[in-house]
Amino acid sequence: MNRIRTLRKERNMTQADLAKVLQVSGRTVGFYETGDRDPDTEILKKLADFFDVTVDYLLGRTDIPRYSSDLLIYEKAHGFDEALPIEAK
C-alpha cells in the first residue's frame, strides 16, 4: 500500500496525522503503508474520500487516481468506449 504513503507525504502529513483522520493508531497506518496489514473496507472508503482518489487506485488496480475526464481520456485513447454497448455509454 505504498500509495497511502505517497498520498500522505504529498500532503505533508505524518502517520500520526493520518491516523487521527482514520481513527486508528499511527502504528496501524505504518502497517498499511508497509503492506503488513490491509485496510478494511471502511478504512479504504475513508482513505479514498480523504485523498479524493478511487479505491481501485489505492489498491493498485488502476494508475488513474480519479474517475473524471482523466478516465474518459484514457478509455478513448485505448478504444474502451468503442467496445461498450450504447446502453453502457
Side-chain angles (χ1 to χ4, degrees):
M1 303 253 69
N2 286 331
R3 289 196 169 160
I4 295 172
R5 176 182 290 139
T6 301
L7 291 166
R8 174 180 60 78
K9 287 187 174 199
E10 284 175 0
R11 291 217 179 170
N12 296 316
M13 298 177 74
T14 65
Q15 288 180 345
D17 295 334
L18 184 55
K20 287 178 188 174
V21 170
L22 300 176
Q23 299 177 327
V24 299
S25 72
R27 186 174 174 135
T28 298
V29 171
F31 287 144
Y32 295 156
E33 291 183 355
T34 60
D36 290 335
R37 189 179 296 170
D38 292 327
D40 64 23
T41 305
E42 288 306 310
I43 295 295
L44 283 171
K45 287 190 225 177
K46 285 182 181 181
L47 286 165
D49 289 344
F50 182 75
F51 290 117
D52 190 28
V53 297
T54 65
V55 171
D56 279 347
Y57 178 77
L58 290 171
L59 295 174
R61 292 173 44 111
T62 182
D63 290 329
I64 301 170
R66 291 169 196 81
Y67 288 122
S68 65
S69 59
D70 294 345
L71 181 61
L72 296 175
I73 292 167
Y74 179 85
E75 287 177 344
K76 286 187 183 216
H78 292 85
F80 294 135
D81 63 330
E82 295 169 10
L84 291 173
I86 292 173
E87 301 83 32
K89 292 181 184 179

